[in-house]
Structures are given as structure tokens and as C-alpha cells.
Amino acid sequence: MRTASGEPVEGARDRADEAGSADGPGPSDDPGPSDGVGVPVGQVIVVGLEGLGRLGLRLVEQLRDSGVGVVGVDDRVTSVARRRLERLGVRLVLESPHAPDVLREVGVARALAVVVCHETDLETLQTALVVAEVAPRVRLVVNVNNAQLGDQLADALGQARVLNLAVLAGPSFVEACIRSAVTHAFTMSARADAEVFAVIEEEISGRGAFRARYGDLTPISLRRAGERRGEVCPPRDTPLHPGDRLTVLGRLAEFDERGMEVSGLHDARLFATLGHRGHGAGVGSAASSGRPSSGDGLARMSGRPRSRRGGLRWVRDLVASVRGELDRPFRLAISVVLAIMVTSTVVLSLTYTDNNSAAPANFGPVDALYLTVETMVTVGYGDFNFGAADHWLQIFGIGLMLFGALSIAVVYAFITNVIISRRLERALGRGRAGAVRDHVVLCGLGSVGVATMDGLLRAGRQVVVIERDENNRYLPVARERSVPVIIGDATVRSTLLEAGLAHATTIAALTSDGLANLEAVLSAREAHDELRGGRGAADELRVVLRTVDTTMADEVERRFGIHTARSAADLATPYFVGVALGYDVLSTFYVDRTPFLVARMTVRGGGHLVGPTLQELATGTRVLAVRPASAADAANSRPGRHTRLCAGDALLVVGPVTRIVDMVRRNQAGGLEAAAEFSGP
């Protein structure tokens, strides 16, 4: 058996074993710390390189950027991916990862971790069981979409850390779908009283230095007026000018202390709760991956709970529901019935007593309505009738019988049709979207789509799903949550109209096909503009697009003006890398199409972070908090530009993923040379 570069695997294994012996840890040693970024030197084996939106390839890139040796194992790799790995200098073994001999020959027993990211859960399960048998003490990181399977795997394999790409990336897509000045929020723990950090974006209206206006808040990005790219993590002394777009991070309490009025700030705690739920469900086990927890009360925290709607809003929703449930012919038939009833009641009230010798003297409007109804529904005459009436009134009664009975029969037919149609729609997992207003049209009911749908429902938003496959396995999930589902092609105008696009606020295309997503959102945006007549920015359709990678996202933004293009794999990759290397990822989010990362790390003795001040380090990140190693029980302190880090200090850092990875590499720079030996040509 040979690697992609032509080197025998046996030789590569011998070199890896020699490097591992020189570095110290053997198969029986602990693979590394469970928290902090004191990353032990060793190789990481990545299995399944092109599954899950090329998650494996992104893992390889970030692991290599972290200074860790990587070996790829996959028997189905395209030529494009192979050349990409060759440029990275990563050794690729073109063999099945399900064979124990293959894993032994690549040195799995001495690996730092094994990351499995196949496209299907079945393949992931096969590889995980083989790894557990061959190397029972190696850290195993796997992606599992099925919650029940993840539970069983986590219980059966104590070494396994089960993640869910969809659950990890879902909160970011939920944030993108909701129009708010708060673009992201996160907490450091699951406690109800935990501090909430919020990321807000606003346009600058005046002049002045950042520090004078925002104090100790943390600048994340600054994009000057008219410029396409922003400055990442600018200094606090940066001058601000009218028209600049600023992204700033801080605790909710700090925004209150500054007296800042931020539109949608109430969404921050909701976003933080959703994000923490996704992080908690994805890291460590699959105990709750993909399953909603009951009683969390998130809908009550959305800022516009259903129980607080005003009376006018309730009436408007009721009218919209009736209009959606009853199509135009049905409404026309009911209108005809009501018109006949009103006309007959008026005529009989004015003429029945004077033109009918058998009429009682006290015949009034209620009696006229009663006579009209019993005539239309043909229940017979036991009290009032037209037998003794004048001829013209008898002719009127005959017409009332014929037209009334006919119109009532038509209404009955429509009612029967509605009842049967609704039952069939529920049986097929479909729903009528005509009654929904101010909703999100979600295209693609895959694992990412389901996670996003679940988050939007928890946020109190209404959702209509468009799904091409009528046999989609997630349709019962939408049916259980009473979400309308339109079976059809999201790129077709009629399908979009059926999903209520004219009354939607957002369209989110979340299939695994980036080009199909682009076609869908462009078609939707054009149709929406035509339907709404270009009423202005307030009525502009919000577009959320799932892309394959950030390169495509940049091209889409530049050519089509779509600002919310995101990659699920880019959002989830840092979690996999963090678990594999033993540090803690709290959150991932986007700022101007740049993926950002919030992580906890511990300063390693001998690394390049020890000694210089934060200003001298120039890491391109922001250190939000420091807990000194000399005072482990002390509260987190806010560092300044002159703060010096010491070995053992616990840091909370935020910045672009690439710069956080660079900071990780510098933190464990003492092991780079040994780690590089594992990569091989």
C-alpha cells in the first residue's frame, strides 16, 4: 500500500513512530490536555476529506496552520482535492479507512486524534468502531447527524467526542435570517445569569476616536465609507468618520452603561442561548444534537411573543389566516350566500306583512332572516311560508329557494374539499403557506436546514419550507412542528409564490449545492421586487445563502450584492479542530464575510506568547479577558495594550479564524519542528 505521493505507508509509519518517540508521548500516554491550548505534538488523522461540504479539507488546512502534522485517509478523493493536499504538503493515503490494517499502518495508535467526517452516519459509525478497536486510547472526533445514533455512539465509545455540523452552524444561519443590529451573541457558560457578549454593527454618524465614543468596548471590524474591505480588530484610538460601518463587541451591561440605544438588543440573549445550545449539543456528546429541549422558553425571549400581540395584530392575523385557508372561489361563494341572505331579509322585512294575508302582525327583521335561512337550506315551512302571499312575492320565494339552495350546496362542496385537502396535506407533511406573513422562506430541508428551522421557531419566527424531494427524511420533523412545506423547485417562480414570497421578510437557501442556492435566491429576489414594487430598503427581501466556501461567498457578494453568504463547513471546522487539539471553542460567527472565532486558551510555557506585551505581540486578535495563572480563583480581568502574558494564564480571545489559528501556532511554537515531521512529502 502506498500514499498519494508514492511513499510506502510502512516507511511513513516508521518515520512517524520515530518522531513520536522523540517527542515523548506514547500510545499509553494521555493524548493531551482537555482544555487550554497547550497542544501536544503529534499527528491528526483526518478520515473523509470531501464529505459534509468538504469539511475534511478545511480541517486539514486549519490543522496544518496550527503547526500540527496531518495524514488524510480516504479512498474517494477527486484530483482537485488531491492537488490541494499536495500543495499543503499533507500525506494522503488512498485506502479505505474501514480496514484496520490501513489505520495501523498510518500510525493511528500514536496519533494525537482521529477526526471522522464522512458524508453519511453509517460510514462514520463503521470507521469509529474500527478506530476504537485498533486504538482504544486515541481521541476520536466524529460528526453524527442522527441524534439517537450519536447518543449510542457516545455511550459505547468513551474516547469519542460526537459533534454535529448542522447544529454547530445552525445558530449562525438563524442570526443571519433575523433582521437585527445584533449580528451575534454568546455566553461563557450555560448558567441563566451568565454574562452575554453581543456583537453589534452600526453606521457611524459623527466624528471622533473610537475610545471616546465606545470606551472599553472591543472593535472587531471597521469598514470605511465606500470601501469593500474592512480593517479587522482596529485599535481603540482609530478615528471614526460619518458613513463608516463599525462592528463592536461587548457585554450587555457595558452597552447599558454607555447608554447606547441598539436596535434589537433584546435579541442578544436569544442568540446567545441558541448558540450555547448548539455548542453544548455539538461538543462532547450527541446527547442533544438536533433535538429540541422542552421548556426552554426561548419563544418568550424573542422580543415579540405571541401572547403580547395587540388586538389589531390579532385581527390582521385572523383575516390573513382566513384568506389563506379559503381560496378565491370559496370566498366568492360565501359572498354570494351572504348577499342573498341580506337582500332577502331586507325585502321580506319591508313587504312580507303587507303582501301576505297569513303573515303575523308582529313580523320583524329577525323573522325575515329566519324565513330566509329556512328557505335557503330547504328545511320546510312549519310557521312562515309564501302560500298566501301575492304572486310576485311567491315568485321571489321560488327564486330564493332555487338560488339559495344552489349557493348553499356550493359552499358545502367547498367545505368538504377543504377538509379533505387539509387531511391529505397533513398526511403528506405539507401545509398551506397562504396564511403566513412576515415569515422566512427556507429552501432545502437537509440537516442544516432543519437546525435553522428549529432555531427560527424557537426565536418565535414563522417558517415556510421549500423542498424538492418529496421523500426527504426530514419531512416528518417539519410536520411535527406544523411548518408548511411546499414540494417543488425553489428556482421556479410559481413555487416561490406558493410559499408566500410576496409576504416574506427573508429567504434562506441552505441546500448542499451552492450554485442551486444562488439560483434560488436570485430568482426570489427578482420576483419579490416585482411583487412589492420596489418600496424601499425597509421592504427589501433579506437573503441568506449557504455557500461551499468563503471564496465563492466573496464572488457572490462582489457580483450579486449578497452580504449574508456563509459556509456551514467554515462555521463548524473550528469546533472540530478545537476538540482534536484540546482547546475550547465557544462560538463562531461572520463579520463582513470573514469567519470569526471566540476561544478559550491557556498560555503555554516556552511558547511565543510569553514575555511580550499584547501590543508587541500584534496577533491580529482581541484578548477579551485574562485569568492569571497565579490567581486561579480570581475573576477574569480586562487586559490592556501593556499587559504581559505568563505561562498558565487563561485567555478569552476573539478574531478571524486564520489569526486565532496563527495565535495557537505561536502559543505552541516549541513543538512546530517535531510536528512538521509528521506531514511528510
Side-chain angles (χ1 to χ4, degrees):
M1 182 177 65
R2 306 182 71 83
T3 64
S5 60
E7 178 187 9
V9 171
E10 292 81 359
R13 178 193 59 192
D14 293 340
R15 291 196 302 105
D17 289 343
E18 291 173 4
S21 298
D23 190 52
S28 61
D29 295 319
D30 181 60
S34 59
D35 56 3
V37 184
V39 181
V41 177
Q43 69 178 1
V44 175
I45 299 173
V46 179
V47 179
L49 296 171
E50 293 198 90
L52 303 172
R54 299 180 182 176
L55 173 65
L57 292 176
R58 286 167 176 73
L59 284 170
V60 169
E61 291 174 347
Q62 287 195 20
L63 288 167
R64 287 288 292 145
D65 290 342
S66 300
V68 177
V70 186
V71 176
V73 182
D74 200 339
D75 57 348
R76 291 171 292 183
V77 180
T78 63
S79 58
V80 174
R82 194 178 306 178
R83 289 193 298 271
R84 188 171 173 179
L85 294 173
E86 289 175 356
R87 287 194 297 269
L88 291 171
V90 173
R91 184 155 50 91
L92 171 63
V93 178
L94 297 172
E95 296 288 342
S96 171
H98 306 321
D101 292 341
V102 173
L103 295 177
R104 290 192 184 96
E105 290 171 353
V106 297
V108 66
R110 303 189 64 82
L112 173 63
V114 178
V115 184
V116 183
C117 44
H118 288 300
E119 188 69 35
T120 66
D121 288 347
L122 179 59
E123 290 183 292
T124 299
L125 178 61
Q126 283 183 278
T127 302
L129 293 176
V130 173
V131 172
E133 178 183 356
V134 175
R137 304 198 64 176
V138 171
R139 181 183 293 131
L140 177 60
V141 187
V142 298
N143 179 85
V144 177
N145 291 323
N146 184 283
Q148 289 74 24
L149 178 60
D151 289 342
Q152 297 296 323
L153 188 60
D155 292 339
L157 306 179
Q159 72 196 95
R161 299 295 182 267
V162 182
L163 308 182
N164 186 325
L165 177 145
V167 174
L168 294 173
S172 183
F173 286 105
V174 173
E175 293 168 349
C177 289
I178 297 175
R179 196 185 301 269
S180 174
V182 178
T183 59
H184 182 65
F186 62 93
T187 60
M188 298 177 62
S189 69
R191 295 182 328 201
D193 60 344
E195 285 187 315
V196 175
F197 291 79
V199 179
I200 69 167
E201 180 180 345
E202 65 177 2
E203 182 172 340
I204 303 301
S205 57
R207 295 181 180 272
F210 175 90
R211 191 183 300 275
R213 179 167 181 172
Y214 295 97
D216 291 332
L217 296 175
T218 303
I220 297 296
S221 175
L222 176 63
R223 178 158 49 89
R224 299 295 184 183
E227 294 185 4
R228 180 167 168 262
R229 294 286 183 180
E231 180 184 0
V232 176
C233 297
R236 288 189 172 88
D237 294 330
T238 298
L240 303 178
H241 306 287
D244 293 348
R245 297 293 300 182
L246 176 68
T247 304
V248 62
L249 182 150
R251 297 172 174 85
L252 289 186
E254 293 175 325
F255 288 105
D256 292 336
E257 291 172 1
R258 304 291 303 179
M260 295 180 59
E261 296 183 1
V262 181
S263 173
L265 195 60
H266 56 271
D267 291 325
R269 189 166 294 278
L270 168 68
F271 290 165
T273 308
L274 291 175
H276 189 83
R277 174 184 172 271
H279 174 62
V283 178
S285 72
S288 59
S289 65
R291 284 204 305 262
S293 58
S294 60
D296 56 6
L298 290 180
R300 293 190 297 272
M301 299 162 52
S302 65
R304 54 172 195 173
R306 298 173 185 262
S307 60
R308 298 180 183 178
R309 291 178 177 176
L312 183 60
R313 176 66 181 271
W314 183 87
V315 172
R316 188 164 58 246
D317 288 348
L318 178 61
V319 172
S321 299
V322 172
R323 288 177 58 86
E325 291 296 327
L326 308 181
D327 54 17
R328 188 172 182 276
F330 196 171
R331 296 197 299 269
L332 181 59
I334 292 179
S335 300
V336 171
V337 170
L338 293 176
I340 293 175
M341 290 177 60
V342 171
T343 302
S344 176
T345 300
V346 172
V347 170
L348 294 177
S349 297
L350 298 176
T351 63
Y352 188 77
T353 303
D354 297 334
N355 296 273
N356 189 347
S357 58
N362 59 348
F363 187 89
V366 176
D367 298 319
L369 176 61
Y370 174 78
L371 177 57
T372 298
V373 172
E374 72 172 352
T375 302
M376 293 179 65
V377 299
T378 64
V379 296
Y381 296 99
D383 32 32
F384 305 119
N385 57 69
F386 294 94
D390 295 345
H391 292 302
W392 74 266
L393 191 56
Q394 290 180 340
I395 295 174
F396 176 82
I398 293 173
L400 182 61
M401 295 177 196
L402 294 176
F403 288 104
L406 178 61
S407 61
I408 292 293
V410 171
V411 171
Y412 285 163
F414 276 121
I415 292 175
T416 304
N417 178 66
V418 168
I419 293 174
I420 295 176
S421 298
R422 293 296 292 167
R423 290 185 176 180
L424 288 175
E425 287 168 355
R426 290 171 182 170
L428 295 174
R430 301 184 60 177
R432 299 179 64 88
V436 183
R437 295 293 185 273
D438 300 330
H439 59 287
V440 177
V441 177
L442 195 154
C443 307
L445 199 60
S447 57
V448 175
V450 169
T452 305
M453 178 187 73
D454 183 50
L456 288 170
L457 294 176
R458 289 171 172 272
R461 268 59 177 184
Q462 299 186 82
V463 182
V464 175
V465 171
I466 298 178
E467 170 57 40
R468 184 193 299 265
D469 183 10
E470 62 182 6
N471 297 316
N472 184 293
R473 63 173 178 163
Y474 293 111
L475 285 177
V477 179
R479 183 190 313 140
E480 179 185 355
R481 289 159 174 74
S482 301
V483 174
V485 179
I486 306 300
I487 303 298
D489 190 341
T491 64
V492 177
R493 182 186 178 94
S494 59
T495 304
L496 294 169
L497 295 179
E498 188 178 356
L501 179 67
H503 306 287
T505 60
T506 306
I507 181 167
L510 305 181
T511 73
S512 57
D513 188 337
L515 293 178
N517 291 338
L518 178 59
E519 184 180 1
V521 297
L522 292 179
S523 300
R525 189 167 63 178
E526 181 181 4
H528 186 271
D529 290 344
E530 292 178 2
L531 293 170
R532 302 302 292 266
R535 299 182 185 178
D539 289 320
E540 183 181 1
L541 182 68
R542 190 174 184 84
V543 175
V544 178
L545 176 68
R546 179 186 175 188
T547 61
V548 177
D549 52 38
T550 52
T551 302
M552 180 180 176
D554 288 341
E555 287 298 311
V556 166
E557 189 281 330
R558 184 168 65 89
R559 297 185 181 276
F560 301 105
I562 296 175
H563 297 273
T564 48
R566 302 184 175 185
S567 167
D570 284 343
L571 289 166
T573 297
Y575 291 100
F576 285 83
V577 174
V579 175
L581 301 186
Y583 66 91
D584 190 9
V585 176
L586 291 180
S587 182
T588 59
F589 60 99
Y590 269 73
V591 176
D592 279 342
R593 303 170 308 283
T594 299
F596 272 64
L597 173 63
V598 182
R600 273 193 293 242
M601 59 176 64
T602 301
V603 178
R604 180 181 178 184
H608 291 175
L609 300 185
V610 177
T613 65
L614 291 180
Q615 185 176 16
E616 293 169 343
L617 281 173
T619 60
T621 65
R622 284 290 182 184
V623 180
L624 301 178
V626 177
R627 178 176 295 173
S630 58
D633 296 332
N636 293 330
S637 62
R638 183 188 300 278
R641 67 182 70 182
H642 302 299
T643 300
R644 297 181 186 274
L645 302 178
C646 302
D649 287 352
L651 311 179
L652 178 65
V653 297
V654 61
V657 171
T658 54
R659 297 189 182 182
I660 294 288
V661 168
D662 178 69
M663 192 173 180
V664 171
R665 183 175 65 246
R666 294 166 68 175
N667 190 40
Q668 51 103 45
L672 284 176
E673 293 77 9
E677 296 184 33
F678 290 106
S679 60

